[in-house]
Amino acid sequence: MFEQAQDKALESAKSRALRILGSRQMSAEDMKNRLTSKGETEENATEAVKWLERIGAIDDVAYAASICSHYSGKGYGLTRVKDELFKRGIPRGLWDDAICSIEQEESESSALAYLEKKLRGSTDKDDLRKATGALCRRGYSYEQARRAVSEYLESGEK
């Protein structure tokens, strides 16, 4: 009788996990936290996540790559991408491979494109300072932001 109740609770956790996963992709850690917050036991949540990984419904490697691709495509820097990976519960061991997909060159061209859009030809020192700060808040290092501003200024002189 007890075993039957456990099986039923596990099936309930699996069904809930599938409903949650239907709305958006998520990491194993996110799913486990979401299930426990919805009232599932820690054990059933863990088993449901393992089951989802076995059937391929949750894949942290692919999810990490999609996060990196999405945020770098929106023009965010490496720091912001790492923040998103952390926020979404991707294990740190998977970060390096996912981040390798973001090319340094692509990152710098995104920063330059952001500056061109934001500054619209302006070379005012206050505007440049604000744009540098904006790049840093978008996840670029100060050095990357400075290089992008230098490139922006050089491209305007041509």
Side-chain angles (χ1 to χ4, degrees):
M1 179 83 167
F2 179 72
E3 191 175 300
Q4 194 174 25
Q6 276 185 317
D7 288 345
K8 191 168 185 142
L10 180 57
E11 288 304 314
S12 169
K14 287 178 180 179
S15 294
R16 178 174 274 158
L18 285 173
R19 282 193 307 276
I20 291 169
L21 201 57
S23 62
R24 70 175 179 89
Q25 190 177 10
M26 58 180 30
S27 69
E29 186 69 24
D30 266 351
M31 178 59 78
K32 184 178 173 189
N33 292 338
R34 184 87 182 264
L35 287 171
T36 54
S37 74
K38 295 285 187 183
E40 299 296 339
T41 66
E42 188 85 20
E43 183 181 309
N44 283 343
T46 301
E47 285 301 314
V49 167
K50 286 179 183 176
W51 173 72
L52 287 170
E53 288 175 327
R54 276 194 311 271
I55 66 170
I58 288 183
D59 182 357
D60 283 350
V61 173
Y63 186 45
S66 74
I67 289 170
C68 288
S69 174
H70 175 75
Y71 282 94
S72 69
K74 289 182 96 171
Y76 290 104
L78 186 59
T79 304
R80 175 69 183 265
V81 172
K82 286 180 180 179
D83 286 346
E84 288 299 324
L85 291 170
F86 177 77
K87 246 181 11 185
R88 294 165 191 266
I90 303 295
R92 285 190 190 259
L94 302 177
W95 289 16
D96 289 338
D97 290 338
I99 290 171
C100 284
S101 65
I102 302 173
E103 296 294 325
Q104 180 71 19
E105 205 172 282
E106 179 184 322
S107 179
E108 289 176 3
S109 68
S110 293
L112 183 59
Y114 177 78
L115 286 176
E116 288 170 352
K117 181 179 177 186
K118 182 136 180 98
L119 294 172
R120 296 185 184 148
S122 173
T123 57
D124 181 61
K125 284 188 180 197
D126 278 342
D127 290 343
L128 293 172
R129 182 183 49 76
K130 288 176 186 177
T132 302
L135 281 174
C136 290
R137 287 187 299 278
R138 289 181 72 83
Y140 293 93
S141 70
Y142 180 71
E143 191 57 42
Q144 287 174 316
R146 281 190 47 225
R147 272 196 309 268
V149 168
S150 293
E151 273 186 55
Y152 169 78
L153 291 172
E154 287 173 13
S155 70
E157 291 175 2
K158 294 177 185 177

